[in-house]
CSV table of all heavy atoms in Angstrom, one decimal:
chain,number,residue,atom,x,y,z
A,211,SER,N,-21.2,7.8,24.9
A,211,SER,CA,-21.6,7.9,26.3
A,211,SER,C,-21.1,9.2,27.0
A,211,SER,O,-21.6,9.7,28.0
A,211,SER,CB,-21.3,6.7,27.1
A,211,SER,OG,-19.9,6.7,27.4
A,212,ARG,N,-20.0,9.7,26.4
A,212,ARG,CA,-19.4,10.9,27.0
A,212,ARG,C,-19.8,12.1,26.2
A,212,ARG,O,-19.2,13.2,26.3
A,212,ARG,CB,-17.9,10.8,27.1
A,212,ARG,CG,-17.4,9.7,28.1
A,212,ARG,CD,-16.0,9.4,28.1
A,212,ARG,NE,-15.1,10.5,28.4
A,212,ARG,CZ,-13.8,10.5,28.4
A,212,ARG,NH1,-13.2,9.4,28.0
A,212,ARG,NH2,-13.1,11.6,28.7
A,213,GLY,N,-20.8,11.9,25.3
A,213,GLY,CA,-21.5,13.1,24.7
A,213,GLY,C,-21.0,13.5,23.3
A,213,GLY,O,-21.4,14.5,22.8
A,214,TYR,N,-20.0,12.7,22.8
A,214,TYR,CA,-19.6,13.0,21.4
A,214,TYR,C,-20.3,12.1,20.4
A,214,TYR,O,-20.1,10.9,20.4
A,214,TYR,CB,-18.1,12.9,21.3
A,214,TYR,CG,-17.6,13.5,20.0
A,214,TYR,CD1,-17.4,14.9,19.8
A,214,TYR,CD2,-17.3,12.7,18.9
A,214,TYR,CE1,-17.0,15.4,18.6
A,214,TYR,CE2,-16.8,13.2,17.7
A,214,TYR,CZ,-16.7,14.6,17.6
A,214,TYR,OH,-16.3,15.1,16.4
A,215,THR,N,-21.1,12.7,19.5
A,215,THR,CA,-21.9,11.9,18.6
A,215,THR,C,-21.7,12.2,17.1
A,215,THR,O,-22.4,11.9,16.3
A,215,THR,CB,-23.4,12.2,18.9
A,215,THR,OG1,-23.6,13.6,18.8
A,215,THR,CG2,-23.8,11.7,20.3
A,216,LYS,N,-20.5,12.9,16.8
A,216,LYS,CA,-20.4,13.3,15.4
A,216,LYS,C,-19.6,12.3,14.5
A,216,LYS,O,-19.4,12.6,13.4
A,216,LYS,CB,-19.6,14.7,15.4
A,216,LYS,CG,-20.4,15.8,15.9
A,216,LYS,CD,-19.6,17.1,15.8
A,216,LYS,CE,-20.3,18.3,16.5
A,216,LYS,NZ,-19.4,19.4,16.8
A,217,MET,N,-19.2,11.2,15.1
A,217,MET,CA,-18.4,10.3,14.3
A,217,MET,C,-19.3,9.5,13.3
A,217,MET,O,-20.4,9.0,13.7
A,217,MET,CB,-17.6,9.3,15.2
A,217,MET,CG,-16.6,10.1,16.0
A,217,MET,SD,-15.3,9.0,16.5
A,217,MET,CE,-16.1,8.0,17.7
A,218,ASN,N,-18.9,9.4,12.1
A,218,ASN,CA,-19.7,8.6,11.1
A,218,ASN,C,-18.8,7.8,10.1
A,218,ASN,O,-19.3,7.4,9.1
A,218,ASN,CB,-20.5,9.6,10.3
A,218,ASN,CG,-19.7,10.8,9.7
A,218,ASN,OD1,-18.6,10.5,9.4
A,218,ASN,ND2,-20.2,12.0,9.7
A,219,LEU,N,-17.6,7.6,10.4
A,219,LEU,CA,-16.8,6.7,9.5
A,219,LEU,C,-15.8,5.9,10.3
A,219,LEU,O,-15.3,6.2,11.4
A,219,LEU,CB,-16.1,7.5,8.4
A,219,LEU,CG,-14.9,8.4,8.7
A,219,LEU,CD1,-13.6,7.6,8.8
A,219,LEU,CD2,-14.8,9.5,7.7
A,220,VAL,N,-15.6,4.7,9.7
A,220,VAL,CA,-14.6,3.8,10.3
A,220,VAL,C,-13.7,3.4,9.1
A,220,VAL,O,-14.1,3.0,8.1
A,220,VAL,CB,-15.3,2.5,10.9
A,220,VAL,CG1,-14.2,1.5,11.3
A,220,VAL,CG2,-16.2,2.8,12.0
A,221,ASP,N,-12.4,3.6,9.4
A,221,ASP,CA,-11.4,3.3,8.3
A,221,ASP,C,-10.6,2.1,8.8
A,221,ASP,O,-9.8,2.2,9.7
A,221,ASP,CB,-10.5,4.6,8.2
A,221,ASP,CG,-9.4,4.4,7.2
A,221,ASP,OD1,-9.1,3.2,6.7
A,221,ASP,OD2,-8.7,5.4,6.9
A,222,ILE,N,-10.8,1.0,8.1
A,222,ILE,CA,-10.2,-0.3,8.5
A,222,ILE,C,-8.8,-0.5,8.0
A,222,ILE,O,-8.2,-1.6,8.1
A,222,ILE,CB,-11.1,-1.5,8.2
A,222,ILE,CG1,-11.2,-1.7,6.7
A,222,ILE,CG2,-12.5,-1.3,8.8
A,222,ILE,CD1,-11.9,-3.0,6.3
A,223,GLY,N,-8.2,0.6,7.4
A,223,GLY,CA,-6.8,0.5,7.0
A,223,GLY,C,-6.4,-0.4,5.9
A,223,GLY,O,-7.2,-0.8,5.1
A,224,GLY,N,-5.1,-0.8,5.9
A,224,GLY,CA,-4.6,-1.8,4.9
A,224,GLY,C,-4.4,-3.1,5.5
A,224,GLY,O,-5.1,-3.5,6.4
A,225,GLY,N,-3.4,-3.8,4.9
A,225,GLY,CA,-3.0,-5.1,5.5
A,225,GLY,C,-3.5,-6.3,4.7
A,225,GLY,O,-3.1,-7.5,5.0
A,226,PHE,N,-4.5,-6.1,3.8
A,226,PHE,CA,-5.0,-7.2,3.0
A,226,PHE,C,-3.9,-8.0,2.3
A,226,PHE,O,-3.2,-7.3,1.5
A,226,PHE,CB,-6.1,-6.7,2.0
A,226,PHE,CG,-7.1,-5.7,2.7
A,226,PHE,CD1,-6.9,-4.4,2.7
A,226,PHE,CD2,-8.1,-6.3,3.4
A,226,PHE,CE1,-7.7,-3.5,3.4
A,226,PHE,CE2,-9.0,-5.4,4.1
A,226,PHE,CZ,-8.8,-4.0,4.1
A,227,PRO,N,-3.8,-9.3,2.5
A,227,PRO,CA,-2.6,-10.0,2.0
A,227,PRO,C,-2.7,-10.3,0.5
A,227,PRO,O,-3.7,-10.6,0.0
A,227,PRO,CB,-2.6,-11.2,2.8
A,227,PRO,CG,-4.0,-11.5,3.2
A,227,PRO,CD,-4.7,-10.1,3.3
A,228,ALA,N,-1.5,-10.1,-0.1
A,228,ALA,CA,-1.3,-10.6,-1.5
A,228,ALA,C,-1.1,-12.1,-1.5
A,228,ALA,O,-0.5,-12.6,-0.6
A,228,ALA,CB,-0.2,-9.9,-2.2
A,229,PRO,N,-1.5,-12.8,-2.5
A,229,PRO,CA,-1.4,-14.3,-2.6
A,229,PRO,C,0.0,-14.7,-3.0
A,229,PRO,O,0.2,-15.4,-4.0
A,229,PRO,CB,-2.5,-14.7,-3.6
A,229,PRO,CG,-2.5,-13.5,-4.5
A,229,PRO,CD,-2.3,-12.3,-3.7
A,230,TYR,N,1.0,-14.3,-2.2
A,230,TYR,CA,2.4,-14.6,-2.6
A,230,TYR,C,2.7,-16.1,-2.6
A,230,TYR,O,3.4,-16.6,-3.4
A,230,TYR,CB,3.4,-14.0,-1.6
A,230,TYR,CG,3.5,-12.5,-1.6
A,230,TYR,CD1,3.3,-11.8,-0.4
A,230,TYR,CD2,3.7,-11.8,-2.8
A,230,TYR,CE1,3.3,-10.4,-0.5
A,230,TYR,CE2,3.8,-10.4,-2.8
A,230,TYR,CZ,3.6,-9.7,-1.7
A,230,TYR,OH,3.7,-8.4,-1.7
A,231,ASP,N,2.0,-16.9,-1.8
A,231,ASP,CA,2.2,-18.4,-1.8
A,231,ASP,C,0.9,-19.0,-1.3
A,231,ASP,O,-0.1,-18.3,-0.9
A,231,ASP,CB,3.4,-18.8,-1.1
A,231,ASP,CG,3.3,-18.4,0.4
A,231,ASP,OD1,2.3,-18.7,1.0
A,231,ASP,OD2,4.3,-17.9,0.9
A,232,SER,N,0.9,-20.3,-1.3
A,232,SER,CA,-0.3,-21.1,-1.1
A,232,SER,C,-0.7,-21.0,0.4
A,232,SER,O,-1.8,-21.5,0.8
A,232,SER,CB,-0.2,-22.5,-1.5
A,232,SER,OG,0.9,-23.1,-0.9
A,233,THR,N,0.1,-20.5,1.3
A,233,THR,CA,-0.2,-20.4,2.7
A,233,THR,C,-1.2,-19.3,3.0
A,233,THR,O,-1.8,-19.2,4.1
A,233,THR,CB,1.0,-20.3,3.6
A,233,THR,OG1,1.6,-19.0,3.4
A,233,THR,CG2,2.0,-21.4,3.4
A,234,VAL,N,-1.3,-18.3,2.0
A,234,VAL,CA,-2.2,-17.2,2.3
A,234,VAL,C,-3.6,-17.6,1.9
A,234,VAL,O,-3.9,-18.0,0.8
A,234,VAL,CB,-1.7,-16.0,1.4
A,234,VAL,CG1,-2.7,-14.8,1.6
A,234,VAL,CG2,-0.3,-15.6,1.7
A,235,ARG,N,-4.5,-17.5,2.9
A,235,ARG,CA,-5.9,-17.9,2.7
A,235,ARG,C,-6.5,-16.9,1.7
A,235,ARG,O,-6.2,-15.7,1.7
A,235,ARG,CB,-6.6,-18.0,4.0
A,235,ARG,CG,-6.4,-19.3,4.8
A,235,ARG,CD,-7.2,-19.3,6.0
A,235,ARG,NE,-6.7,-18.4,7.1
A,235,ARG,CZ,-7.5,-17.9,8.0
A,235,ARG,NH1,-8.7,-18.3,8.1
A,235,ARG,NH2,-7.0,-17.1,8.9
A,236,PRO,N,-7.5,-17.3,1.0
A,236,PRO,CA,-8.2,-16.4,0.0
A,236,PRO,C,-8.8,-15.2,0.6
A,236,PRO,O,-9.3,-15.2,1.7
A,236,PRO,CB,-9.2,-17.3,-0.7
A,236,PRO,CG,-9.0,-18.7,-0.2
A,236,PRO,CD,-8.1,-18.7,1.0
A,237,PHE,N,-8.7,-14.1,-0.2
A,237,PHE,CA,-9.3,-12.8,0.2
A,237,PHE,C,-10.8,-12.9,0.6
A,237,PHE,O,-11.2,-12.3,1.5
A,237,PHE,CB,-9.1,-11.8,-1.0
A,237,PHE,CG,-9.7,-10.5,-0.7
A,237,PHE,CD1,-9.1,-9.7,0.3
A,237,PHE,CD2,-10.8,-10.0,-1.3
A,237,PHE,CE1,-9.6,-8.4,0.6
A,237,PHE,CE2,-11.3,-8.7,-1.0
A,237,PHE,CZ,-10.7,-8.0,-0.1
A,238,ARG,N,-11.5,-13.8,-0.2
A,238,ARG,CA,-13.0,-13.8,0.2
A,238,ARG,C,-13.2,-14.4,1.6
A,238,ARG,O,-14.2,-14.0,2.2
A,238,ARG,CB,-13.7,-14.6,-0.9
A,238,ARG,CG,-13.3,-16.0,-1.1
A,238,ARG,CD,-14.3,-16.8,-2.0
A,238,ARG,NE,-13.9,-18.3,-1.9
A,238,ARG,CZ,-12.9,-18.8,-2.5
A,238,ARG,NH1,-12.1,-18.1,-3.3
A,238,ARG,NH2,-12.6,-20.1,-2.3
A,239,GLU,N,-12.3,-15.2,2.1
A,239,GLU,CA,-12.5,-15.6,3.5
A,239,GLU,C,-12.3,-14.5,4.5
A,239,GLU,O,-13.1,-14.4,5.4
A,239,GLU,CB,-11.4,-16.7,3.8
A,239,GLU,CG,-11.8,-18.1,3.5
A,239,GLU,CD,-10.8,-19.1,3.9
A,239,GLU,OE1,-10.2,-19.0,5.0
A,239,GLU,OE2,-10.5,-20.0,3.2
A,240,LEU,N,-11.3,-13.7,4.2
A,240,LEU,CA,-11.1,-12.5,5.1
A,240,LEU,C,-12.3,-11.6,4.9
A,240,LEU,O,-12.8,-11.0,5.9
A,240,LEU,CB,-9.8,-11.8,4.7
A,240,LEU,CG,-9.6,-10.4,5.3
A,240,LEU,CD1,-9.5,-10.5,6.8
A,240,LEU,CD2,-8.2,-9.8,4.8
A,241,ALA,N,-12.8,-11.4,3.7
A,241,ALA,CA,-13.9,-10.5,3.4
A,241,ALA,C,-15.1,-10.9,4.2
A,241,ALA,O,-15.9,-10.1,4.8
A,241,ALA,CB,-14.2,-10.4,1.9
A,242,ARG,N,-15.4,-12.2,4.2
A,242,ARG,CA,-16.6,-12.8,4.9
A,242,ARG,C,-16.5,-12.4,6.4
A,242,ARG,O,-17.5,-12.0,7.0
A,242,ARG,CB,-16.6,-14.3,4.7
A,242,ARG,CG,-18.0,-14.8,5.0
A,242,ARG,CD,-18.1,-16.4,4.8
A,242,ARG,NE,-17.4,-16.8,3.5
A,242,ARG,CZ,-16.5,-17.8,3.5
A,242,ARG,NH1,-16.1,-18.4,4.6
A,242,ARG,NH2,-16.0,-18.2,2.3
A,243,ILE,N,-15.3,-12.5,7.0
A,243,ILE,CA,-15.1,-12.2,8.4
A,243,ILE,C,-15.4,-10.7,8.6
A,243,ILE,O,-16.1,-10.3,9.5
A,243,ILE,CB,-13.7,-12.6,8.9
A,243,ILE,CG1,-13.5,-14.1,8.8
A,243,ILE,CG2,-13.4,-12.0,10.3
A,243,ILE,CD1,-12.1,-14.6,9.0
A,244,ILE,N,-14.8,-9.9,7.8
A,244,ILE,CA,-14.9,-8.4,7.9
A,244,ILE,C,-16.3,-8.0,7.8
A,244,ILE,O,-16.9,-7.2,8.6
A,244,ILE,CB,-14.0,-7.7,6.9
A,244,ILE,CG1,-12.5,-7.9,7.4
A,244,ILE,CG2,-14.3,-6.2,6.9
A,244,ILE,CD1,-11.5,-7.3,6.4
A,245,ASN,N,-17.0,-8.5,6.7
A,245,ASN,CA,-18.4,-8.1,6.5
A,245,ASN,C,-19.3,-8.4,7.7
A,245,ASN,O,-20.1,-7.6,8.1
A,245,ASN,CB,-18.9,-8.9,5.2
A,245,ASN,CG,-18.4,-8.3,3.9
A,245,ASN,OD1,-18.1,-7.1,3.9
A,245,ASN,ND2,-18.3,-9.2,2.9
A,246,SER,N,-19.1,-9.6,8.2
A,246,SER,CA,-20.0,-10.0,9.3
A,246,SER,C,-19.7,-9.1,10.5
A,246,SER,O,-20.7,-8.7,11.2
A,246,SER,CB,-19.9,-11.5,9.6
A,246,SER,OG,-19.0,-11.7,10.7
A,247,GLU,N,-18.5,-8.7,10.8
A,247,GLU,CA,-18.2,-7.8,11.9
A,247,GLU,C,-18.7,-6.4,11.7
A,247,GLU,O,-19.3,-5.8,12.6
A,247,GLU,CB,-16.7,-7.8,12.2
A,247,GLU,CG,-16.2,-9.1,12.9
A,247,GLU,CD,-16.9,-9.4,14.2
A,247,GLU,OE1,-16.7,-8.7,15.2
A,247,GLU,OE2,-17.7,-10.4,14.2
A,248,ILE,N,-18.5,-5.9,10.5
A,248,ILE,CA,-18.9,-4.5,10.3
A,248,ILE,C,-20.4,-4.4,10.3
A,248,ILE,O,-21.0,-3.4,10.9
A,248,ILE,CB,-18.3,-3.8,9.1
A,248,ILE,CG1,-18.6,-4.5,7.8
A,248,ILE,CG2,-16.8,-3.5,9.2
A,248,ILE,CD1,-18.0,-3.9,6.5
A,249,ASN,N,-21.1,-5.4,9.8
A,249,ASN,CA,-22.6,-5.3,9.8
A,249,ASN,C,-23.1,-5.5,11.2
A,249,ASN,O,-24.2,-5.0,11.5
A,249,ASN,CB,-23.1,-6.3,8.8
A,249,ASN,CG,-22.9,-5.9,7.4
A,249,ASN,OD1,-22.7,-4.7,7.1
A,249,ASN,ND2,-22.7,-6.9,6.5
A,250,ARG,N,-22.4,-6.3,12.0
A,250,ARG,CA,-22.9,-6.5,13.4
A,250,ARG,C,-22.6,-5.3,14.3
A,250,ARG,O,-23.4,-4.9,15.1
A,250,ARG,CB,-22.1,-7.7,13.9
A,250,ARG,CG,-22.6,-8.2,15.3
A,250,ARG,CD,-21.9,-9.5,15.6
A,250,ARG,NE,-20.4,-9.4,15.9
A,250,ARG,CZ,-19.9,-8.9,17.1
A,250,ARG,NH1,-20.7,-8.6,18.1
A,250,ARG,NH2,-18.6,-8.8,17.2
A,251,LEU,N,-21.5,-4.6,14.0
A,251,LEU,CA,-21.0,-3.6,15.0
A,251,LEU,C,-21.5,-2.2,14.6
A,251,LEU,O,-21.6,-1.3,15.5
A,251,LEU,CB,-19.5,-3.6,15.1
A,251,LEU,CG,-18.9,-4.9,15.7
A,251,LEU,CD1,-17.4,-4.9,15.5
A,251,LEU,CD2,-19.2,-5.0,17.2
A,252,PHE,N,-21.6,-1.9,13.3
A,252,PHE,CA,-21.8,-0.5,12.9
A,252,PHE,C,-23.1,-0.4,12.0
A,252,PHE,O,-23.2,-1.0,11.0
A,252,PHE,CB,-20.6,0.0,12.1
A,252,PHE,CG,-19.3,-0.1,12.9
A,252,PHE,CD1,-18.4,-1.1,12.6
A,252,PHE,CD2,-19.1,0.8,13.9
A,252,PHE,CE1,-17.2,-1.2,13.3
A,252,PHE,CE2,-17.9,0.7,14.7
A,252,PHE,CZ,-17.0,-0.3,14.4
A,253,PRO,N,-24.0,0.6,12.5
A,253,PRO,CA,-25.2,0.8,11.7
A,253,PRO,C,-24.9,1.3,10.3
A,253,PRO,O,-23.8,1.8,10.0
A,253,PRO,CB,-25.9,1.9,12.5
A,253,PRO,CG,-25.0,2.3,13.6
A,253,PRO,CD,-23.9,1.4,13.7
A,254,LYS,N,-25.9,1.1,9.4
A,254,LYS,CA,-25.8,1.3,8.0
A,254,LYS,C,-25.2,2.7,7.6
A,254,LYS,O,-24.5,2.9,6.6
A,254,LYS,CB,-27.1,1.1,7.3
A,254,LYS,CG,-27.5,-0.3,7.0
A,254,LYS,CD,-26.8,-0.8,5.7
A,254,LYS,CE,-26.9,-2.3,5.5
A,254,LYS,NZ,-26.2,-3.1,6.5
A,255,HIS,N,-25.6,3.7,8.4
A,255,HIS,CA,-25.2,5.1,8.0
A,255,HIS,C,-23.7,5.4,8.3
A,255,HIS,O,-23.2,6.4,7.8
A,255,HIS,CB,-26.0,6.1,8.8
A,255,HIS,CG,-25.7,6.2,10.2
A,255,HIS,ND1,-26.3,5.4,11.2
A,255,HIS,CD2,-24.8,7.0,10.9
A,255,HIS,CE1,-25.8,5.7,12.4
A,255,HIS,NE2,-24.9,6.7,12.3
Side-chain angles (χ1 to χ4, degrees):
S211 76
R212 292 171 65 183
Y214 190 78
T215 55
K216 292 182 187 160
M217 294 201 291
N218 52 34
L219 72 84
V220 173
D221 177 350
I222 66 174
F226 310 95
Y230 291 126
D231 61 48
S232 57
T233 65
V234 179
R235 281 184 287 156
F237 179 68
R238 61 171 190 283
E239 270 183 42
L240 172 59
R242 200 179 312 129
I243 294 168
I244 290 175
N245 285 333
S246 96
E247 287 302 289
I248 56 182
N249 291 332
R250 187 173 69 81
L251 296 167
F252 302 105
K254 279 277 172 292
H255 71 272

